[in-house]
Amino acid sequence: MRLLLVGYGKMGRLVEELALARQHEIVGRIDVGSDRWAPADVAIDFSTADALAGNFPRYIEMRLPVVIGTTGWTDRLHAYRAQAATAKLGVVAAANFSVGVNLFEMLAAEAARLMQAHPQYGSWIHEAHHAAKRDAPSGTALLLRDAMTGAGFSRGIDLSSTRAGMIPGTHTIGFDSASDTIELTHTARDRRGFASGAIAAAEWLQGREGWFSMKDVLRG
């Protein structure tokens, strides 16, 4: 594939490294001070929520399928989906492209479903990331919360965040009663799982129209 990288920070550079190893071509890198939008098969956007507001109209204009790993823009989700549908554009958007995190989301939903019948348990989600991550709570934490409520958990879920050092990403869901505590934790060792998942999503997206999630990619 010919890939256009939008956002050339740590994730963008890692996507480039792994994409080249898979014999893909990088046709351009869009970042602060660089605005050369080359024709491509798919764009992979790991920019920022603010930058996406300017980037998304370019994807529509160019009919350029896009994998969006940027978070913090859910307030614009319905508008973007409507624009993509009108343009018949292919989009894969996910708060987290890690296969492990997506499986963890399924576990969180099942735990929440089981716990709904036991009102003595309160629930929380805590996430920790590196100091440079801007959005808090993380998009993955919000994804986990939505999975839990979608599974029928109707009690409050407390959300908290830590930003420190170089933490690549840790998410814990917990249930606590007077007698015991249950915790499930996913810890990312590095960012390679996120980057390789984004590349897999870009490969899967070719030739498709519509708005998709990472679960669609994993289902094939």
Side-chain angles (χ1 to χ4, degrees):
M1 291 184 301
R2 297 172 303 154
L3 296 175
L4 178 67
L5 303 182
V6 183
Y8 198 60
K10 292 177 181 178
M11 279 300 299
R13 290 192 291 272
L14 185 54
V15 168
E16 178 177 49
E17 175 191 335
L18 298 183
L20 291 173
R22 293 176 72 130
Q23 307 302 312
H24 297 308
E25 178 187 359
I26 306 301
V27 298
R29 303 163 188 83
I30 308 300
D31 203 28
V32 177
S34 172
D35 195 36
R36 182 175 172 272
W37 288 74
D41 296 315
V42 181
I44 299 180
D45 191 321
F46 277 103
S47 59
T48 65
D50 289 341
L52 183 62
N55 296 338
F56 200 80
R58 300 293 286 271
Y59 302 136
I60 297 295
E61 177 187 347
M62 296 174 67
R63 293 287 309 277
L64 176 59
V66 59
V67 171
I68 303 175
T70 303
T71 60
W73 52 271
T74 52
D75 58 320
R76 289 174 252 149
L77 173 62
H78 294 300
Y80 288 168
R81 290 193 67 156
Q83 293 168 31
T86 299
K88 297 183 178 179
L89 188 69
V91 179
V92 177
N96 196 311
F97 281 94
S98 162
V99 172
V101 164
N102 282 273
L103 295 174
F104 184 62
E105 179 192 349
M106 297 176 193
L107 292 172
E110 178 62 12
R113 185 188 67 79
L114 292 170
M115 285 296 183
Q116 174 58 24
H118 303 281
Q120 68 270 34
Y121 285 91
S123 184
W124 79 91
I125 297 171
H126 180 75
E127 55 92 4
H129 282 85
H130 54 88
K133 185 172 176 60
R134 299 176 186 180
D135 57 317
S138 68
T140 301
L142 297 175
L143 188 73
L144 292 169
R145 181 199 62 188
D146 292 346
M148 292 167 70
T149 57
F153 194 84
S154 60
R155 300 188 292 281
I157 302 172
D158 188 71
L159 278 172
S160 60
S161 302
T162 293
R163 297 287 177 268
M166 301 298 293
I167 305 169
T170 300
H171 292 84
T172 296
I173 66 166
F175 302 92
D176 186 79
S177 73
S179 300
D180 55 13
T181 300
I182 300 169
E183 293 183 350
L184 296 171
T185 298
H186 177 277
T187 302
R189 292 194 179 95
D190 60 27
R191 296 181 176 87
R192 297 181 75 85
F194 310 125
S196 61
I199 295 167
E203 293 168 344
W204 180 88
L205 185 59
Q206 288 190 97
R208 287 181 164 91
E209 297 176 0
W211 193 280
F212 305 102
S213 70
M214 191 59 183
K215 288 188 181 61
D216 295 309
V217 176
L218 293 176
R219 293 187 188 107

